[in-house]
Structure formats: C-alpha cells, structure tokens
Amino acid sequence: MKTENYNELIELIELAEKVADKTEFYKNKLFNARLLILVLTVVSFGNFFFLILIANDYNFKTDNIKFTILILSLIASLFYIFSIVRQTFRFKKYYYHERKTLSRLLEMTNEFKMLAFDSSVLSVIEKAMVEMRLSRINFNE
C-alpha cells in the first residue's frame, strides 16, 4: 500500500517537474519572440521612413541599385516579422497546453498526496521530500 501510493505520487511529481520545465521553456520562447517582433518592427518602420525621406531627393536613374536594396531589405524584414508572428502563435498554443496539463497534474498530485499522507505509513522525511519537491514547481505562472 505504501509503496504503491508513494511510487505513483513520485511519478506524478516527476511528470509535473518535466511539464513545468517545458512551460517555462515556452514562456521564455514567447517573451523572446515578442521582443524580436518589437525590435524588427521598429527597424522596419525606420527603414520605411528613411525610404520615404530619400525618395523625394533621389535620382532613380543613377542610384537604382541602392534604392532596390533598401526596398528588398524592407520586404525581407516584413517577411521575417510575419514568420516570427506565426512562430509566436505556435509557442503560445504550446504554452497554454502545457499550463493546462500542469494544472491537471496539480489536482492529481494533491489527491495522491492526501492518500499517501493519510495512510500513516510514510515517514516524516518522505513527507518532507514530497512537500519540498512540490514547492519547487511553479504552478501559478
């Protein structure tokens, strides 16, 4: 009885730790992607306004290559922003799935913890180890 409940509880805690790590990973990826979108948007707007400013005083016949490079860099940065936005939506979906899984694991872990703790066959050290491992998992992101 003791080993069954305790082993299942430990397995749930290990799974919760892995899911919490994945959740943190996707949270960081989301933050980095959003930051990159912000930086690229500022750079693209700067490029666009620079293009507008120089278009008025530009001799298109002599400096056609420079103008083309500027337009191509603007198009490339907009395309890159679009791909990062798509990636951000994917990370957001993964993050929320992991959060939902972590929430379910919390409920299951609490049930198994109560079962294991109610059967007074666990030692104080085993109970303390379970509590410490559970306290390290961030369920409230």
Side-chain angles (χ1 to χ4, degrees), residues 17 83 92 100 109:
E17 288 170 340
S83 67
K92 192 174 186 178
K100 194 174 183 180
T109 304

Side-chain angles (χ1 to χ4, degrees), residues 31-41 80-81 84 87:
F31 175 78
N32 291 339
R34 287 176 178 160
L35 186 63
L36 186 59
I37 289 170
L38 178 68
V39 169
L40 287 173
T41 303
Y80 193 60
I81 288 172
I84 297 295
Q87 190 177 36

